[in-house]
Amino acid sequence: MTNATHDQTVSLRKPVADNIIARFSQALVAFAERWFPDAYVFVLIAVIAVAIGAILHGGSPLAVSRAFGDGFWNLIPFTMQMALVAIGGYVVAMSPPVASVLARLASVPKTGRGAVVFVGVLSIFLSLLNWGLSLIFSGLLVREIARRTDIRLDYRAAGAAGYLGLGCGFTLGITSSAAQLQANAGSIPASLLPITGVIGFSETILTWQNMVTVVMVTVVSAAICYFTTPAPEQAKTAEDLGVALGDDRIEARKPARPGDWLEFSPLLTILIALLAAGWLWQTFQSGNPLITLSGLNTYNFVFLILGIVLHWRPRSLIESFSKAMPSVSGVLLQFPFYAGIAQILTKVPNSSGTTLSDTIAHWFVGASSNSTVFSFLVGIYSALLGFFVPSAGGKWIIEAPYIMKAANDIGAHLGWTVMVYNIAETLPNFINPFWMLPLLGILGLKSKDLIGYTSVQFFIHFPIVMLLAAILMATFAYHPPILP
């Protein structure tokens, strides 16, 4: 090969996203990989920072310690519920019938660039139903498309597209942990309920303003996918990246001994499905089914039963459930610390009887001349904190006491304040790889392979959605908290 030919080959392989924004994002990734600790360490830092803040605010060290311990287990039901949201999505995505759907969907795109857009849009739509399903299904779909030999798929761009649901979609749908928590009086911490009241889905994710946001986010995301996907001659396939594309399906096996018979028979599945059918019929026979699904217990029950039926045989379900467990370790470990933080913020007064959350809320009110400015401040603050605390539900518990108190004081609609938080909170997921980990495990990639693409999504989305959220706030009328 001549030098000229070699130079041309290198030029062809230069990523099309190699511009100032992509270079900045890669520098950010390199810095984060070298200096940023694990997400659990961020939670510990947050606990210490809030504890010190409460003490400097005038609270006694003993009161801070007591509040931390008293609040530590307040979110245990919610923690288990959110863990099952992820597991339910994983189990459904790994079922044999869904595997057949994956194969059919993988044949739809006609070009590599079209496949990236297709995966991205599907990831967002699935995330509105279940973020766990979106993440796992999208990862498996990317692998299925990558097995095709008739198109050249950039495996990195497609993987990044599969992450769009976690970066800008899922908090706009029914698995929004903040909206779910606020819609259920039993899930709201006792210290928060008087401030927010119960806020139903009809005032959050089912508003027409949220529908407009979903459409805008989807269109912008698809356009970014299209323009940042490398041309076929520049694409890096899974083979180029050294990724082995084996069969993802759960291996069909036969019982090895007589005692295994029930594990491989659909008999128990049929009986359990019939038992559940009566409850489901009674639950959904009246009212809006989406409102009915706003109960996390109902939501998780539906997905678990669906997973049981789709896997058909208990052994298949058991294996998929086991594979899903690593994806929820962060939720199980970190949420109790978030509950402790919320208790410190709301239950440790100074000598004047004012808590730290009260003081922060007063700052929001003082800095906001109206609900539109308030919306900007909430969005920017939530996005900034979301980079360091990548947990929508846990972080809402931290922010809600003072954000919602400020919303009451300034007259900002409480439901849309929740949605402003939702819109902004997940954007940092594009540059923080915490929620990317399950997807990376499926794809066999590292965060650095995707963040060059996802960071472009972040920088373009942020100003657009912040402006949109603030404009839409003006279309709501405030009303006081509705207590059960």
Side-chain angles (χ1 to χ4, degrees), residues 163 281 415:
Y163 189 58
W281 180 80

Side-chain angles (χ1 to χ4, degrees), residues 39-44 46-47 50 67-68 71-75 78-79 189 330-346 385-386 388-399 401 425 434-435:
Y40 168 63
V41 176
F42 275 126
V43 177
L44 300 185
V47 171
V50 171
F68 176 64
F72 197 78
W73 302 115
N74 283 352
L75 288 181
F78 186 60
T79 300
V331 171
L332 295 175
L333 176 62
Q334 294 173 44
F335 269 37
F337 290 92
Y338 293 135
I341 291 173
Q343 193 81 356
I344 294 173
L345 282 168
T346 59
L385 189 59
F388 296 99
V389 186
S391 173
K395 193 166 74 66
W396 175 245
I397 296 299
I398 298 173
E399 293 186 49
E425 191 276 331
F434 176 76
W435 290 111

Side-chain angles (χ1 to χ4, degrees), residues 208-396:
W208 69 261
Q209 292 89 342
N210 188 50
M211 305 304 172
V212 169
T213 305
V214 169
V215 172
M216 176 66 75
V217 162
T218 304
V219 170
V220 171
S221 298
I224 297 171
C225 284
Y226 182 86
F227 288 110
T228 59
T229 300
E233 63 273 12
Q234 298 166 326
K236 284 192 175 182
T237 65
E239 183 180 3
D240 294 335
L241 296 168
V243 177
L245 298 173
D247 194 341
D248 298 316
R249 289 173 295 184
I250 295 175
E251 183 181 355
R253 294 189 289 127
K254 295 182 179 180
R257 60 191 182 90
D260 294 337
W261 180 76
L262 284 175
E263 294 181 19
F264 294 87
S265 168
L267 175 61
L268 293 178
T269 296
I270 294 171
L271 294 176
I272 291 297
L274 289 174
L275 185 63
W279 184 87
L280 291 172
W281 180 80
Q282 289 182 330
T283 302
F284 285 91
Q285 66 177 334
S286 61
N288 188 318
L290 291 179
I291 298 297
T292 303
L293 278 174
S294 67
L296 275 174
N297 288 337
T298 302
Y299 180 90
N300 284 326
F301 185 80
V302 168
F303 260 84
L304 184 58
I305 295 300
L306 180 61
I308 289 173
V309 172
L310 290 176
H311 280 274
W312 198 234
R313 291 170 173 79
R315 172 47 53 187
S316 176
L317 180 82
I318 291 169
E319 293 183 11
S320 68
F321 208 92
S322 298
K323 291 183 179 181
M325 292 306 295
S327 66
V328 300
S329 60
V331 171
L332 295 175
L333 176 62
Q334 294 173 44
F335 269 37
F337 290 92
Y338 293 135
I341 291 173
Q343 193 81 356
I344 294 173
L345 282 168
T346 59
K347 294 298 183 181
V348 180
N350 57 19
S351 58
S352 302
T354 303
T355 64
L356 184 57
S357 65
D358 292 331
T359 299
I360 298 174
H362 293 156
W363 178 87
F364 269 97
V365 174
S368 305
S369 57
N370 53 55
S371 60
T372 301
V373 175
F374 173 74
S375 176
F376 271 116
L377 291 177
V378 170
I380 293 172
Y381 173 76
S382 295
L384 179 63
L385 189 59
F387 183 80
F388 296 99
V389 186
S391 173
K395 193 166 74 66
W396 175 245

